[in-house]
Amino acid sequence: MLITPLLLLCVAICLSPTASVIDDSKANFQPQVTLRTWEQAIAMAKSFIAQLTLQEKCHLTAGVRGTCAGNIASLPRVNFSGVCLLDTPSGVGDGVLYSTAFVSGIHIAATWDRDLFYRRAVAIGKEFRGKGVHYALGPMVNIDRNARHGRNWEGFGSDPYLSGENAFFYTQGVQDQGVVATAKHYICNEQDTHRSGVMKDANDAVVYSANLDDKTMHEIYLWPFASSVVAGTGSIMCSANEINDTRACQNNKTQNGLLKGELGYMGNILTDWMGSKSTVDPVLSGLDIDMPGNDEYMGYTLVPFVQNGSIPESRIDDMATRIIAPYYLVGQDQDYPTVDLDRDTMENNYIINREASRAGMILLKNVNNILPLNSSVNTNIYIYGQAAGQTNCGLEQTSWNANCGGALYQGGGSGFVRPAYAIDPLTALMQKGRDDRLQIRYITNQNDFVAINSTFRDRGFQNAKCLVFISAWSEEGIDRTDLYAFDNGEQLVLTVAQNCRQTIVLVNSVSQLNLERWVDHPNVVGVLWTGMPGSEYGPAVVDILFGDYNPGGKLVFSLAKNDSDFGTDISPIGDSNYTEGVFLDYRHFDKYNITPRYYFGYGLSYTNFSFDKLQISQANDDDKNSPVSLYKQRRMRPYNNFGHSGLYDPVYTITFTIKNTGNYYGSEVAQLYLGFPVQAQEPLKILRGFERVYLEPNESREVTLVLSQKDISYWNVVNQQWAIASGTHTVWISISANNADIKLQGSFSV
Ligand SMILES: *[C@@H]1O[C@H](CO)[C@@H](O)[C@H](O)[C@H]1NC(C)=O
Ligand SMILES: *[C@@H]1O[C@H](CO)[C@@H](O)[C@H](O)[C@H]1NC(C)=O
Ligand SMILES: *[C@@H]1O[C@H](CO)[C@@H](O)[C@H](O)[C@H]1NC(C)=O
Ligand SMILES: *[C@@H]1O[C@H](CO)[C@@H](O)[C@H](O)[C@H]1NC(C)=O
Ligand SMILES: *[C@@H]1O[C@H](CO)[C@@H](O)[C@H](O)[C@H]1NC(C)=O
Ligand SMILES: *[C@@H]1O[C@H](CO)[C@@H](O)[C@H](O)[C@H]1NC(C)=O
Ligand SMILES: *[C@@H]1O[C@H](CO)[C@@H](O)[C@H](O)[C@H]1NC(C)=O
Ligand SMILES: *[C@@H]1O[C@H](CO)[C@@H](O)[C@H](O)[C@H]1NC(C)=O
Ligand SMILES: *[C@@H]1O[C@H](CO)[C@@H](O)[C@H](O)[C@H]1NC(C)=O
Ligand SMILES: *[C@@H]1O[C@H](CO)[C@@H](O)[C@H](O)[C@H]1NC(C)=O
């Protein structure tokens, strides 16, 4: 008797064509830990600090030796047990045991799914908390300005709005678990070549200086940090490079001016490891903590400087307050687990990791719907490439060793998580082969062309599907030398494609790759971008290849036909001049009318969608179930910091319907690009909204995107504030940054 009403309820809610796409499960968020407002946390921090001596307060400002990558001193006299900081943005790193290697930043961004941004971050936060770690050293929110940057895989791609949404929901997911998030690297750390070293003016061009104008700073590079601040991040890490010839960690303009002044940031600034090189300047310029701290620039070293008046004691109080406040902000004073880095807290996080892994994979080419494979007819599968199988070096790849090879779960450096386990595609395909009675052959030594050629003469080869796995690695500290695949992957693809009419290429890459040598080959009928897919890589890719999951990820950067088309590159010398201004990636391609191979925002599906009924209205939150109310509730937490400027208030709603017109359940990412009046001096179009919508075949749904005041503003350099240009703003709803993909167009006038 119970079943019928429940089913009816589901039909009414689940299939209603007007049901709002905004999931309100998080609007009703019930915290499991004590979360406080900044005002409460600061008041508690101040009363804690009131009991400390000058020496004790100074002691807090430099890391001490301890169990973790960074440790804020314990103060046993006042029963403060200290704070543990650990890498990485995508899981608990630094070589601990029992850790999930989650999909990397570049991969979660490619899901374009805020619900997944949040749920992945919740799982990451739980693993940190379970091990007693107080600070997760992420998210990494530097922009993919240079395709060759070795750390692009840790970040969220080339667009500030997409990066900002990722930064926001990452911060929220982690801090909802009582773990402090640390947005990094502040700011303009868009290359690793010459990223640190001694002062440039003291020793000629050793550390690079990012030189950029004020508009570009605000609209591109500061944007995702601003999103972290409004989300309520407790900590921000300053970078090792310089900005306008002044080190980031002692840059008064970026730290005291932009971050603590303009953005009203109330948390602390800590250094990138060994990112600071002196005492008085950084402290007076806004730096609060020196990490890892054994260089003696801060900590007790500050005491005589305070005593002789070089540093005011009020500044030390401010630093100590900013160091302690985040502890109270996310309730670390109550029932926080003791530090045990090897405690197993993975629970069933593989489920969300597999979901994120397949949701971030991007179908780039699918001639005559070669994918998904149907295992009852595609029984002969040939697998090629080192990147299909397990590495020869165990799962220790913090840095690259060309002899290792193997599927890449993450990139390298401090951002690498050594996973407790990881499943490569070959292993997962073998299991699929057993279950579905496939005939599989594979060659993972991709330089053994004798063996590779011999497979082409196999009896079973005639109608085979050939899966070619290629990869590209990068790591912290080193930028890539080119945008080609590891170990002549291009030659492997071409050799297989010359012989196999149904060649499908799987691209396991840290960031941009140049596909030009093979992508137009007529026998390359499928291309799946598998990204940086985490320890569930194998199962996730099998789900997509055989149609158990319909791909819907979208590129978070354009793939250029020619590397020089990007118009930006790593600077080999001391200056990195951001002369392109706000014209980055698709904004640059639009300006110069360059056609990339695949546009930012592009990705195919096993189904198709139609768009209809665009409506633009002023935002209205009279009804608590209105899209605007839900938008606000979803972002609301005790610890967030929207300020009082109204900049983050909704001002317009953009409503339209999407229908799944094909035969598969699947998703489309509706992308809102905004065109500004001339006065704003903006690129042709800028991403200012998106929503990934999952639909059954024939299902249609009304979608509402919300534009905040900031979303429709430009940075006015003269007035030093966000401003709305008067005139017509054009709204395009598209499925990529390609103008040919625009589905709906409308406008509003201000
Ligand atoms: C010291 O802190 C612990 C929790 O960190 C608490 O259980 C204990 O009661 C505190 N002791 C005193 C004397 O405040
Ligand atoms: C850097 O210099 C440019 C050009 O003078 C200026 O527009 C910008 O505001 C400066 N930025 C910082 C952070 O100093
Ligand atoms: C540092 O920045 C603050 C905030 O912008 C400003 O008030 C102050 O004058 C600056 N100090 C120096 C020495 O430039
Ligand atoms: C203050 O003390 C520090 C540390 O002893 C010293 O380096 C600095 O020169 C002193 N400054 C003044 C103005 O006396
Ligand atoms: C797979 O192929 C079999 C045999 O042709 C067919 O009956 C089945 O419907 C196909 N499955 C799908 C999902 O298309
Ligand atoms: C493999 O076959 C290709 C042609 O498909 C040929 O160019 C190449 O020389 C062969 N390599 C070896 C090692 O036999
Ligand atoms: C790529 O661009 C560079 C510089 O514009 C040019 O010299 C080169 O020929 C181009 N390469 C291709 C393959 O078009
Ligand atoms: C960067 O700009 C400065 C100032 O215009 C100039 O002196 C310098 O040569 C430029 N550096 C590069 C690498 O273009
Ligand atoms: C989607 O539509 C395009 C254009 O009509 C068509 O070429 C393609 O085959 C369709 N894809 C699917 C999966 O139906
Ligand atoms: C979709 O709707 C059309 C027209 O109403 C119908 O013919 C078709 O069977 C439906 N397809 C699915 C998968 O429900």
Side-chain angles (χ1 to χ4, degrees):
M1 287 306 284
L2 259 176
I3 289 168
T4 315
L6 276 178
L7 269 180
L8 283 175
L9 189 69
C10 188
V11 170
I13 293 174
C14 307
L15 297 180
S16 159
T18 55
S20 171
V21 70
I22 294 177
D23 164 15
D24 67 351
S25 58
K26 284 161 302 298
N28 301 319
F29 168 73
Q30 296 295 328
Q32 303 299 306
V33 301
T34 303
L35 300 173
R36 300 191 177 94
T37 65
W38 276 100
E39 288 66 26
Q40 291 167 334
I42 288 169
M44 292 174 83
K46 282 187 168 155
S47 72
F48 173 82
I49 280 151
Q51 13 159 28
L52 303 185
T53 64
L54 174 63
Q55 281 74 8
E56 285 168 336
K57 286 183 283 192
C58 288
H59 193 35
L60 293 174
T61 69
V64 294
R65 283 202 175 78
T67 326
C68 299
N71 305 276
I72 294 174
S74 63
L75 299 171
R77 186 181 74 79
V78 290
N79 197 25
F80 178 66
S81 55
V83 162
C84 160
L85 300 82
L86 214 70
D87 295 297
T88 79
S90 59
V92 189
D94 298 325
V96 304
L97 304 185
Y98 301 109
S99 185
T100 302
F102 287 90
V103 305
S104 301
I106 202 81
H107 197 95
I108 193 68
T111 69
W112 295 66
D113 183 333
R114 289 182 186 81
D115 187 41
L116 286 175
F117 300 167
Y118 177 78
R119 285 163 55 212
R120 164 181 173 272
V122 165
I124 290 171
K126 282 186 170 158
E127 291 198 15
F128 275 102
R129 182 190 176 91
K131 290 170 180 295
V133 181
H134 301 82
Y135 279 48
L137 296 175
M140 190 312 220
V141 306
N142 296 120
I143 297 290
D144 181 340
R145 173 179 183 265
N146 298 308
R148 293 194 292 118
H149 182 205
R151 301 191 79 169
N152 280 338
W153 63 275
E154 298 180 62
F156 302 121
S158 65
D159 184 80
Y161 178 85
L162 180 61
S163 298
E165 292 300 287
N166 273 278
F168 189 98
F169 288 101
Y170 181 95
T171 303
Q172 196 177 68
V174 165
Q175 293 199 165
D176 279 355
Q177 308 312 311
V179 176
V180 176
T182 312
K184 65 188 189 181
H185 311 83
Y186 189 73
I187 192 169
C188 295
N189 190 175
E190 275 83 35
Q191 65 178 56
D192 269 40
T193 302
H194 299 314
R195 78 159 179 187
S196 60
V198 296
M199 292 293 292
K200 180 177 145 197
D201 48 358
N203 196 344
D204 196 39
V206 177
V207 59
Y208 84 89
S209 174
N211 306 320
L212 68 165
D213 65 273
D214 195 36
K215 179 180 172 76
T216 304
M217 175 62 96
H218 279 84
E219 296 187 3
I220 309 280
Y221 301 96
L222 187 60
W223 185 291
F225 286 100
S227 301
S228 301
V229 171
V230 298
T233 191
S235 186
I236 289 182
M237 179 190 290
C238 56
S239 53
N241 57 281
E242 299 178 340
I243 303 101
N244 283 2
D245 289 326
T246 302
R247 268 187 186 279
C249 295
Q250 63 185 62
N251 194 308
N252 189 57
K253 164 93 176 157
T254 56
Q255 297 188 138
N256 281 333
L258 299 178
L259 188 54
K260 292 181 173 178
E262 190 182 309
L263 300 182
Y265 174 58
M266 293 178 271
N268 58 61
I269 302 177
L270 52 85
T271 65
D272 198 347
W273 270 226
M274 294 163 287
S276 182
K277 304 290 176 196
S278 59
T279 297
V280 177
D281 264 16
V283 168
L284 296 183
S285 306
L287 178 64
D288 301 302
I289 315 179
D290 182 33
M291 280 291 168
N294 37 22
D295 51 21
E296 297 180 351
Y297 288 123
M298 286 165 65
Y300 289 129
T301 302
L302 299 182
V303 174
F305 287 90
V306 178
Q307 283 164 344
N308 72 12
S310 312
I311 295 172
E313 186 161 1
S314 60
R315 174 68 187 116
I316 302 294
D317 288 342
D318 176 47
M319 293 159 81
T321 305
R322 288 172 178 275
I323 293 164
I324 296 298
Y327 181 82
Y328 290 114
L329 187 75
V330 295
Q332 294 180 345
D333 56 319
Q334 295 187 2
D335 302 323
Y336 209 77
T338 54
V339 178
D340 176 358
L341 299 183
D342 293 339
R343 191 179 286 132
D344 179 0
T345 59
M346 297 190 292
E347 298 185 7
N348 56 5
N349 286 341
Y350 74 92
I351 297 173
I352 171 68
N353 202 24
R354 179 170 174 174
E355 181 65 19
S357 191
R358 57 197 195 171
M361 291 182 183
I362 307 161
L363 185 61
L364 295 177
K365 186 174 182 184
N366 195 21
V367 177
N368 294 330
N369 299 325
I370 182 80
L371 293 176
L373 303 178
N374 178 339
S375 54
S376 52
V377 287
N378 301 299
T379 49
N380 281 317
I381 309 283
Y382 282 70
I383 298 166
Y384 300 93
Q386 49 80 29
Q390 203 63 272
T391 160
N392 295 323
C393 306
L395 295 168
E396 309 288 328
Q397 296 159 296
T398 46
S399 70
W400 184 244
N401 172 342
N403 300 320
C404 293
L408 303 176
Y409 308 100
Q410 298 203 330
S414 68
F416 175 80
V417 177
R418 183 178 68 188
Y421 77 91
I423 303 173
D424 60 276
L426 185 56
T427 301
L429 283 160
M430 289 296 179
Q431 181 151 1
K432 181 75 176 169
R434 180 198 64 196
D435 295 347
D436 287 16
R437 302 198 163 276
L438 302 175
Q439 167 60 44
I440 296 177
R441 280 203 68 185
Y442 73 92
I443 307 283
T444 49
N445 180 349
Q446 67 189 43
N447 292 307
D448 186 352
F449 284 100
V450 174
I452 291 167
N453 281 0
S454 83
T455 64
F456 306 146
R457 297 186 292 269
D458 267 12
R459 279 204 307 292
F461 192 73
Q462 199 57 22
N463 268 312
K465 302 285 186 291
C466 299
L467 306 180
V468 187
F469 288 82
I470 61 173
S471 65
W473 165 267
S474 73
E475 64 187 84
E476 179 181 0
I478 308 168
D479 295 315
R480 291 159 73 190
T481 52
D482 58 44
L483 297 181
Y484 289 107
F486 171 64
D487 200 17
N488 292 320
E490 289 78 15
Q491 194 193 341
L492 176 70
V493 173
L494 287 171
T495 302
V496 174
Q498 272 160 27
N499 292 280
C500 181
R501 277 179 290 111
Q502 303 179 92
T503 299
I504 297 157
V505 182
L506 298 104
V507 186
N508 180 198
S509 180
V510 277
S511 60
Q512 287 94 327
L513 198 77
N514 187 319
L515 314 180
E516 295 307 302
R517 290 180 185 165
W518 51 265
V519 74
D520 264 343
H521 193 290
N523 289 346
V524 174
V525 289
V527 179
L528 181 68
W529 186 274
T530 65
M532 279 293 112
S535 23
E536 288 288 321
Y537 180 15
V541 82
V542 167
D543 287 346
I544 290 182
L545 287 175
F546 290 91
D548 296 313
Y549 184 87
N550 183 353
K554 302 278 182 171
L555 289 173
V556 299
F557 37 68
S558 299
L559 294 175
K561 290 185 176 172
N562 188 331
D563 300 351
S564 67
D565 287 348
F566 287 110
T568 46
D569 205 353
I570 304 293
S571 175
I573 52 171
D575 285 307
S576 179
N577 293 344
Y578 290 30
T579 45
E580 76 286 354
V582 296
F583 295 91
L584 201 61
D585 197 288
Y586 64 90
R587 302 152 176 244
H588 167 83
F589 289 92
D590 269 344
K591 181 176 181 186
Y592 295 101
N593 215 359
I594 298 168
T595 304
R597 171 57 57 178
Y598 295 116
Y599 284 85
F600 174 87
Y602 171 83
L604 300 169
S605 163
Y606 296 156
T607 185
N608 272 327
F609 299 86
S610 66
F611 288 71
D612 200 9
K613 298 193 193 127
L614 180 68
Q615 272 181 287
I616 301 175
S617 320
Q618 301 217 333
N620 176 342
D621 62 355
D622 291 351
D623 175 356
K624 74 173 171 45
N625 291 318
S626 71
V628 172
S629 299
L630 295 175
Y631 169 94
K632 287 164 98 173
Q633 288 167 43
R634 182 181 200 179
R635 282 164 172 73
M636 204 72 77
R637 288 296 185 273
Y639 53 76
N640 60 22
N641 176 17
F642 285 97
H644 303 290
S645 61
L647 207 48
Y648 295 91
D649 290 349
V651 288
Y652 285 98
T653 55
I654 316 295
T655 301
F656 50 92
T657 56
I658 305 187
K659 180 175 183 182
N660 181 348
T661 56
N663 297 321
Y664 282 86
Y665 173 81
S667 64
E668 182 55 284
V669 179
Q671 301 163 36
L672 188 165
Y673 293 90
L674 197 59
F676 289 74
V678 180
Q679 179 198 350
Q681 296 181 18
E682 294 296 3
L684 175 68
K685 60 183 192 295
I686 297 178
L687 182 75
R688 282 292 186 260
F690 62 85
E691 191 73 42
R692 182 163 176 169
V693 186
Y694 296 80
L695 296 170
E696 298 288 347
N698 274 354
E699 187 187 357
S700 69
R701 195 171 314 165
E702 189 176 275
V703 178
T704 296
L705 304 180
V706 173
L707 289 173
S708 73
Q709 181 149 316
K710 186 175 181 187
D711 293 334
I712 66 166
S713 300
Y714 69 97
W715 180 251
N716 183 317
V717 294
V718 176
N719 298 339
Q720 286 292 294
Q721 60 188 17
W722 291 96
I724 299 176
S726 57
T728 303
H729 293 66
T730 309
V731 171
W732 290 289
I733 302 299
S734 189
I735 56 170
S736 86
N738 183 352
N739 292 331
D741 278 342
I742 290 172
K743 302 294 175 188
L744 301 167
Q745 177 174 345
S747 66
F748 59 86
S749 290
V750 185

